[in-house]
Amino acid sequence: MPLSAAELRARIKRLGITQTEAAERLGLSVNGLYKQLHGERKVSRQTEIILDLIEEVQRLRRNQRPAEPPLERQQRRDRQLPQFLYPAAPRRK
């Protein structure tokens, strides 16, 4: 079942983006989005799919762990040092 104009408006508002940003992300002209938002044109399946993807990306970014700061050169060396101090025993055949 295709989105109604009111549902499209609500989803764009929930994303927290302007109509101009929404048109750009959806690959529409501002005028084309305006027509979909006001019921002059049917909301396309492509628009629904892209909105789903934008929402999914935002959800994944919210749930993502914060990135660790890059290690300094000495810290990288210290982290790799044990493998040189305690090499694995040679494998027997």
Side-chain angles (χ1 to χ4, degrees):
M1 187 167 147
L3 280 177
S4 69
E7 291 170 329
L8 177 60
R9 226 177 287 110
R11 286 183 75 177
I12 290 173
K13 186 175 181 179
R14 189 172 54 230
L15 288 171
I17 57 177
T18 65
Q19 290 182 7
T20 305
E21 289 174 304
E24 186 177 306
R25 288 186 182 187
L26 295 170
L28 300 170
S29 66
V30 176
N31 190 32
L33 179 62
Y34 177 87
K35 288 180 180 181
Q36 287 186 13
L37 289 170
H38 290 87
E40 297 174 21
R41 186 182 293 164
K42 186 176 104 173
V43 178
S44 68
R45 180 72 179 126
Q46 176 182 344
T47 299
E48 287 184 60
I49 291 169
I50 295 172
L51 279 173
D52 289 342
L53 290 172
I54 293 169
E55 287 176 342
E56 182 66 15
V57 167
Q58 281 190 348
R59 185 188 65 77
L60 290 171
R61 285 185 178 157
R62 277 193 313 266
N63 295 337
Q64 189 177 33
R65 288 187 314 151
E68 294 179 11
L71 297 175
E72 296 297 325
R73 189 173 190 172
Q74 186 61 45
Q75 290 173 321
R76 285 195 308 266
R77 283 185 189 148
D78 291 346
R79 189 178 61 189
Q80 294 172 351
L81 190 59
Q83 69 184 351
F84 296 110
L85 294 177
Y86 309 105
R91 293 185 183 173
R92 295 183 182 176
K93 292 184 181 180

